Amino acid sequence: MDTETGESLTKEDVVKLLTQLETLIKGAELHPDTKEEVIEDLSAAKKATDKEEPNKQRALDRLTGVAETLEKTSKSVEAGQKIWTTAKPIIVKIATWLGVAAGSHLLGL
């Protein structure tokens, strides 16, 4: 199976990826409000995913918020640019697992 498409990811893998993003953000030199907002969204996405029946739509909504915030930050802060470069491939993997169509605005980031 191809790990790039997200097809072979398990729910546990996705939760690990969300945790990885959270760790990345916590260690980033971002504005405290931005950091707090992103961590809150990631935490909610993780909760929505880590259920017996993952709530993929809710997780996707929160992940979209994370992506938009990080992308905005990447345009204004150098540290944000570094974070975005690292976070983007992880977000795309998670989004693919969540079942986002390839043409989605999230994958087009």
Side-chain angles (χ1 to χ4, degrees):
M1 281 196 193
D2 183 9
T3 49
E4 288 309 301
T5 63
E7 287 305 311
S8 61
L9 291 177
T10 64
K11 177 177 69 175
E12 289 72 23
D13 290 335
V14 172
V15 170
K16 277 186 200 138
L17 287 171
L18 286 163
T19 303
Q20 196 179 332
L21 277 174
E22 221 172 353
T23 305
L24 180 71
I25 301 305
K26 283 178 181 168
E29 290 177 38
L30 296 173
H31 188 279
D33 290 347
T34 304
K35 198 184 272 197
E36 192 179 324
E37 183 185 326
V38 171
I39 289 170
E40 208 172 278
D41 278 344
L42 284 171
S43 181
K46 203 162 44 173
K47 266 190 208 131
T49 304
D50 202 15
K51 291 182 174 348
E52 204 170 318
E53 277 301 309
N55 184 339
K56 290 186 174 186
Q57 189 54 55
R58 183 159 192 269
L60 182 60
D61 290 346
R62 291 304 189 125
L63 191 65
T64 302
V66 168
E68 287 168 354
T69 303
L70 289 179
E71 190 188 23
K72 241 184 275 165
T73 306
S74 77
K75 290 181 169 81
S76 59
V77 187
E78 195 180 321
Q81 183 66 58
K82 288 182 190 138
I83 295 292
W84 182 233
T85 306
T86 310
K88 189 176 164 183
I90 300 170
I91 290 173
V92 170
K93 264 188 203 171
I94 297 168
T96 305
W97 181 82
L98 291 170
V100 180
S104 156
H105 68 281
L106 223 187
L107 290 180
L109 289 174

